[in-house]
Amino acid sequence: MTFSSPARRALTLSLIGATSLLAASAAQAEPLPSYDPAKADQITQPNITDLAPFDPELRRIWAQHIGFDAFNYAVAPALLYQQMYALAIDPADPQYVGFDRFNHGRDLARPGYAAFKSPNADTLYSNAWLDLTRGPVELDVPPTGSRYYTVNFQDFYGNASNISTRTHGNDGGRYWIATTTWQGDVPAGVTLFRVTTPYVWILMRVLVSSEKDVPKATALQDRFILKTLTPPTTPLAPGNVPKPDVDTPMGTLTILDWVERNVGHPIGEEAYLHQFERIGVGGPIPLSEIEKDPPIVAGLDQAFKESRLVARDVSRHSTPDVVNGWYLPIALARYGFNFVKRAGHHMIGTGPNVAEENFASVTNTDAAGVRLDGNTTRYTIRFDPPPPANYFWSVTAYNLSNRELIPNPTGRYLIGDRTKGLRTAKDGSVTIQIQADPPKDKSNWLPVAKEPFYLIMRNQGPKDEVLDGKWQPPGVEPVTAGKP
């Protein structure tokens, strides 16, 4: 049977349409649930390391691909290991206090703050690393009155949880911090708080209302107490753990290998991590053997460079959720299998909190997508209404070049609901002026430098209308030339 050209075209279009419908239907179908091979007859899972190609060039290509995934996965745990080494392992480091001890910051973050980038300018920070390998560590939280605080726990993969004003109130209490696998009896009057990894970082924040309030806040810091209940038999020390080398391929893989053997990983990531055994991570092949294989070393070197390029790019566009130029903190500090997102976030900085605790939005452009630059433009943000927060809100400016607070003659680094003399319009709106040169009325002035900058809007304890998107941040608007 033959078809005329019109008929042939009609049949072709019909088949294309049917194929498209089938493809769309398939695309919308949910993946089938996983199955357990152990429940089938005669099916077993071999526990052996996979093969690598024998041809040198193919081995280089293979190592480059495997290495890219490994280095991307390693960004968060390697950076957190570097911090743990400084604070809790190396006595020669200026930050060192050991495990289960607080290192309290006694001053508000200011330009040149060295601990990490993009810091709050209105909270005091305290750091501690807990060693839970032998059992729980006790945390005593004092009553904090009306003062906001959060004891933010970060596991070795950057996932966050909190004992805070939001989650546990301000009455204080005794808490045993333990892993999910610990089994034991908890004394009366003590609350068990479970975390995921046997080494966990605390980044504590205590709100400060002004410079005059700092002594009261520091006195409160000292009343947060950590108690080691069972000291480890072999404390970690520079001689028995890897060096904190996060800037080379082999240094990073050495750290990741230590993490897999001593910290573990979330259930469900076994297949992903199994492939790394062949490049010396978590398996029977030591990294010293990998270093003797030039094609693999060449592939890993290239993978390391490429993974960092991707992570840095993602760090500038770390979420698809953008409103009026602001990147919203969706899935921040809760990463699941989103390893690229996790790497990008940690290239910005370690220690982010979950959106329910701190809805921190970031922008480096105005509402039209033009880069913020204090050398060429003045800006305003009009909040109508201001950010709905249970505790406080603020907008802070940072230099884009070094991600630090911006020096200015007034010593003002943020504008927020606690800014002294903040002007509110009759309709309840608040307009912030953002510029390098002082305006006539400095009440709502947020100083910046004559160079590119970015803003972080923090909403501590966001209300429901923020979390469900009913309240959205307004765009940063350039000021028309000639206006004050």
Side-chain angles (χ1 to χ4, degrees), residues 308-328:
R308 290 302 178 266
L309 288 174
V310 169
R312 290 190 183 97
D313 180 78
V314 171
S315 73
R316 294 191 291 270
H317 312 283
S318 56
T319 174
D321 302 281
V322 184
V323 173
N324 297 324
W326 292 92
Y327 287 88
L328 306 184

Side-chain angles (χ1 to χ4, degrees), residues 40-330:
D41 293 335
Q42 303 178 15
I43 302 296
T44 60
Q45 289 280 52
N47 187 23
I48 59 173
T49 300
D50 207 348
L51 291 176
F54 292 92
D55 178 89
E57 177 58 14
L58 293 179
R59 195 155 69 251
R60 183 195 67 77
I61 294 171
W62 167 86
Q64 183 175 336
H65 285 276
I66 296 293
F68 180 89
D69 286 342
F71 291 128
N72 180 69
Y73 184 89
V75 169
L79 289 174
L80 288 164
Y81 176 86
Q82 183 185 47
Q83 291 183 209
M84 181 179 74
Y85 192 95
L87 195 75
I89 296 176
D90 183 9
D93 194 282
Q95 302 177 69
Y96 176 81
V97 291
F99 281 103
D100 309 336
R101 297 290 182 272
F102 276 118
N103 180 354
H104 294 301
R106 301 305 197 180
D107 300 305
L108 293 170
R110 292 297 179 255
Y113 184 76
F116 48 85
K117 300 300 183 181
S118 307
N120 289 12
D122 51 5
T123 61
L124 293 181
Y125 287 102
S126 300
N127 286 272
W129 273 91
L130 307 186
D131 181 348
L132 308 176
T133 56
R134 297 283 292 174
V137 170
E138 182 172 320
L139 168 67
D140 293 347
V141 176
T144 58
S146 59
R147 189 185 299 271
Y148 172 84
Y149 78 95
T150 177
V151 180
N152 175 208
F153 297 88
Q154 298 267 333
D155 73 11
F156 233 91
Y157 296 95
N159 301 294
S161 55
N162 293 270
I163 294 175
S164 65
T165 297
R166 175 183 68 91
T167 61
H168 291 77
N170 284 25
D171 293 336
R174 293 173 62 200
Y175 300 89
W176 275 19
I177 315 303
T179 63
T180 57
T181 58
W182 178 78
Q183 299 294 323
D185 297 324
V186 180
V190 173
T191 300
L192 181 63
F193 187 86
R194 293 195 183 273
V195 294
T196 54
T197 53
Y199 301 101
V200 64
W201 175 34
I202 289 177
L203 180 56
M204 186 173 80
R205 301 167 178 90
V206 173
L207 179 63
V208 177
S209 61
S210 67
E211 290 285 356
K212 294 180 179 180
D213 186 42
V214 169
K216 292 181 180 179
T218 58
L220 182 63
Q221 283 178 308
D222 290 333
R223 295 172 61 201
F224 285 83
I225 305 296
L226 290 169
K227 299 177 182 177
T228 301
L229 302 178
T230 308
T233 53
T234 307
L236 302 187
N240 60 20
V241 297
K243 294 180 180 179
D245 175 11
V246 301
D247 296 321
T248 66
M250 287 304 165
T252 301
L253 291 182
T254 301
I255 293 172
L256 184 58
D257 180 61
W258 184 90
V259 170
E260 291 309 304
R261 296 178 190 277
N262 296 275
V263 178
H265 56 264
I267 291 174
E269 296 179 6
E270 290 79 11
Y272 192 77
L273 288 159
H274 182 79
Q275 63 184 326
F276 303 157
E277 289 187 4
R278 193 59 187 76
I279 58 171
V281 174
I285 302 174
L287 277 165
S288 58
E289 290 298 314
I290 298 299
E291 291 182 288
K292 298 176 184 177
D293 192 325
I296 290 184
V297 170
L300 293 176
D301 286 345
Q302 185 63 26
F304 186 77
K305 295 174 185 175
E306 293 175 350
S307 69
R308 290 302 178 266
L309 288 174
V310 169
R312 290 190 183 97
D313 180 78
V314 171
S315 73
R316 294 191 291 270
H317 312 283
S318 56
T319 174
D321 302 281
V322 184
V323 173
N324 297 324
W326 292 92
Y327 287 88
L328 306 184
I330 307 302

